[in-house]
Amino acid sequence: QVQLVESGGGLVQPGGSLRLSCAASGFPFSSYTMSWYRQAPGKERELVANITPGGNTNYADFVEGRFTISRDNGKNTVYLQMNSLKPEDTAVYYCRRPSFPTLWGQGTQVTVSS
């Protein structure tokens, strides 16, 4: 079955860290660019980071060096390490395969609050 399954979200205090995982199945994961997006309440979904098959990365400006996207092709998994979290990082985080036909995961909630 072709799917993406995110995990690792939760409640964390400001300044804390979380690592999100996205497990892919049903397609040749190592051949695809993968992305993380997020959607906060009342806001549009926005790109957080991309990683190419070769490991090249790019990030949204708001990341400001706090997040790191990585991948393990042997495990068909893409990660998002998030450090120095802020309340404004609160959102549902989604994994996406941008190439046609695009594929989205179900999302994982990240809440940053004291």
Side-chain angles (χ1 to χ4, degrees), residues 67-83:
F67 298 175
T68 302
I69 188 171
S70 62
R71 66 192 301 158
D72 184 335
N73 290 333
K75 295 182 178 179
N76 288 352
T77 301
V78 59
Y79 303 98
L80 186 68
Q81 176 68 43
M82 304 187 294
N83 300 325

Side-chain angles (χ1 to χ4, degrees), residues 89-100:
D89 294 316
T90 294
V92 178
Y93 283 72
Y94 296 91
C95 180
R96 181 189 183 210
R97 184 191 72 185
S99 299
F100 181 83

